[in-house]
Amino acid sequence: MNATIAELKNRLEAALVSAFGTDLAGTDPMLVPTSNPKFGDYQANVAMSLAKRLGKAPRAIAEEISQKLEIDDICEKPSIAGPGFINLMLKPAYLQAQLAAMEGDSRLGIPLVKDPKKVVVDFSSPNIAKEMHVGHLRSTIIGDSLARILEFQGHDVLRLNHVGDWGTQFGMLITYLREVAPEALTTADALDLGDLVAFYKKAKQRFDEDPEFQERSRQEVVRLQSGAEDTLRAWRLLCEQSRREFQIIYDLLDICITERGESFYNPLLAQVVEDLERSGLLVEDQGAKCVFLEGFTNREGNPLPLIIQKSDGGYNYATTDLAAIRYRVQQDHGDRLIYITDSGQANHFAQVFQVARRAGWIPDTVEVVHVPFGLVQGEDGKKLKTRSGDTVRLRDLLDEAVERSRADLEARLKAEDRQETEDFINEVAQVVGIDAVKYADLSQNRTSNYIFSYDKMLSLQGNTAPYMLYAYVRVQGISRKGQIDFEQLGSDIKIVLQEETELALAKHLLQLDEILTEVSLDLMPNRLCQYLFELSQKFNQFYDRCPVLQAEESIKVSRLALCDLAAKTLKLGLSLLGIRILERM
């Protein structure tokens, strides 16, 4: 939490106790940023909530709290507004001291959490023998940004890629490849992944239409599960080939993740069934072993079963997910399990979490949360697809973003009559293209669907990655133009805040800690995007209205320090979103 807010809350709580007695110890002072700067910086709304309890008018309560409030070192004298809002305005001297403390600190004054947790973040999760598509984009970059933020706060984060690398799809594919491309089952890279995907589609079609092929596929799954050497070898080759293709995407997106696929949990599934039987939750229904759910009903209004073991003895996704929860709690010692998948899986996870809780596998001390996200839509408002109606390959989408970024850059260089090296053009196109795709996704409320538009995401105006990068590059331009090394400014700079835009920028710079705390709780990265967008706007307003290099020496050094802090805050905030910065554009 922002040190300023934390301190003000402590002082308000002390004033409450001093005014009305120890019964009010621990009362939330309901402190929030003001909606209008003319009322100050923060507003405490606690007086309204205490009126009934204390039998007094809210305004009178607010007056008594204000009289006991000792905040001269932080704020101007409190003012009471309306029915009893306590408005607080930070003193410039306090802001200056806080900024000076940030200037020499690589963490910008943001402390590590006092009580670090072991957090398991389950994200990305593509399927083997299929190509990553636009649907994997959201899970991958939302998961990565949340992991980065939690790691920065000091939590021990395990980033897990729960890939689909087991089950019926392999029976189908291996059976089909035995007929049409047997060399792919014994020789690495005999087919490229695109061919493999095409064969998978044909195998699925055969499986749906041909009972004899279906039966052979099921037998192949049994062979895989029982460890038949030729089937296992084929499976390993297919997994390895997909894994290398996935890694190309992860490298492009700068993603670090540990693969632990469905196959990892396969030896643990029988134990899941045994434990559920022992706990009395398992019921046999039409030959299948199920747990009947509370709060979920079928069309007839009867409790819905979650199938744990099918009538043929096979397992399904729910069984694997239950095994994964047990492992993550009991073996990984996770305090918080975070699952990032599309909204369509919300019911599945609600059901799996319910069964795991009822089985006693999720202690009260462990938080398990599903982080849902909406669809990526084309500009026609429908699910994003290619012209032929196929799902868009993630590799194609990223490549096109880089190509369009390059075209924009070359057009701009031509218009400005600027000469740059091919290396410079390649790097800027790559960074801006990938950043733009990531930021466009992260800046949306993740629960909403969003329209994918290259033109919007690559725009230099609005809440986009290029707009953020330009604000950062602007500061580096000041450094180059004035031949200033920000590292040589020293740590004993006196920051002076006189102009309105300087004060607005300074106050915003102090809020990053508070925003990160919010994101770590509600798992909404768009809050950080909005903060950085507003930071860029406030910096640009300050830069346009307050001369930096032309100012007299003492003011110049102060403003240079403010520019440097804005750039460092942007760089840190963007890095927590997985967004790379550039020194020049």
Side-chain angles (χ1 to χ4, degrees), residues 195-448:
D195 292 335
L196 212 52
V197 171
F199 283 140
Y200 177 83
K201 286 178 183 169
K202 288 176 181 169
K204 176 79 171 77
Q205 196 176 345
R206 279 278 296 280
F207 186 85
D208 292 341
E209 294 169 359
D210 180 346
E212 188 269 335
F213 179 83
Q214 194 176 98
E215 183 50 38
R216 280 194 289 133
S217 299
R218 290 193 201 285
Q219 291 307 314
E220 200 68 68
V221 175
V222 173
R223 284 174 57 75
L224 176 63
Q225 290 173 337
S226 60
E229 193 47 52
D230 61 331
T231 304
L232 268 181
R233 176 181 166 79
W235 171 73
R236 286 194 196 102
L237 284 172
L238 296 171
C239 288
E240 190 51 46
Q241 187 169 2
S242 291
R243 204 171 277 130
R244 285 200 304 275
E245 291 291 329
F246 296 159
Q247 196 55 50
I248 292 169
I249 302 278
Y250 293 139
D251 289 345
L252 266 177
L253 292 170
D254 190 23
I255 305 289
C256 291
I257 191 165
T258 300
E259 185 184 306
R260 195 193 280 170
E262 291 171 8
S263 61
F264 177 88
Y265 302 101
N266 192 56
L268 311 175
L269 302 184
Q271 191 65 52
V272 167
V273 176
E274 272 180 46
D275 282 10
L276 289 173
E277 271 179 331
R278 248 201 312 273
S279 65
L281 289 173
L282 214 56
V283 176
E284 194 157 312
D285 185 57
Q286 296 173 19
K289 292 179 178 177
C290 318
V291 176
F292 280 92
L293 299 157
E294 295 168 355
F296 291 91
T297 53
N298 59 20
R299 285 178 191 162
E300 290 76 43
N302 299 319
L304 200 66
L306 185 68
I307 297 172
I308 307 298
Q309 190 169 20
K310 294 181 276 194
S311 56
D312 64 3
Y315 305 104
N316 61 12
Y317 293 125
T319 329
T320 304
D321 283 335
L322 286 167
I325 287 178
R326 286 179 73 221
Y327 195 92
R328 292 167 188 186
V329 173
Q330 295 171 9
Q331 306 300 319
D332 295 323
H333 307 293
D335 301 304
R336 192 180 190 197
L337 312 185
I338 298 171
Y339 293 77
I340 298 149
T341 74
D342 66 271
S343 306
Q345 295 192 48
N347 261 1
H348 167 77
F349 281 109
Q351 293 169 0
V352 168
F353 296 166
Q354 182 194 121
V355 172
R357 280 199 182 89
R358 285 165 61 194
W361 299 336
I362 305 175
D364 293 342
T365 53
V366 173
E367 180 194 2
V368 181
V369 57
H370 177 228
V371 175
F373 54 82
L375 294 174
V376 183
Q377 297 175 322
E379 300 202 46
D380 58 0
K382 294 177 182 166
K383 197 169 178 177
L384 190 65
K385 293 198 179 241
T386 62
R387 282 195 181 134
S388 62
D390 292 331
T391 307
V392 177
R393 290 192 335 150
L394 191 44
R395 181 71 190 272
D396 293 342
L397 179 136
L398 296 173
D399 286 348
E400 184 168 348
V402 173
E403 281 169 28
R404 289 189 181 222
S405 167
R406 185 187 179 95
D408 284 359
L409 174 61
E410 287 174 341
R412 192 160 44 80
L413 293 177
K414 191 174 179 183
E416 294 171 9
D417 198 22
R418 246 171 83 192
Q419 296 295 316
E420 294 289 355
T421 65
E422 192 63 19
D423 284 350
F424 172 86
I425 292 169
N426 287 339
E427 192 198 1
V428 172
Q430 181 80 14
V431 171
V432 172
I434 300 294
D435 280 359
V437 171
K438 283 182 157 188
Y439 189 88
D441 193 312
L442 291 169
S443 61
Q444 313 294 321
N445 178 322
R446 61 171 165 74
T447 59
S448 310

Side-chain angles (χ1 to χ4, degrees), residues 63-77:
E63 292 284 2
E64 287 190 59
I65 295 169
S66 296
Q67 284 166 17
K68 300 288 186 182
L69 193 54
E70 296 180 8
I71 49 167
D72 291 355
D73 55 331
I74 301 177
C75 295
E76 309 290 358
K77 191 174 186 306

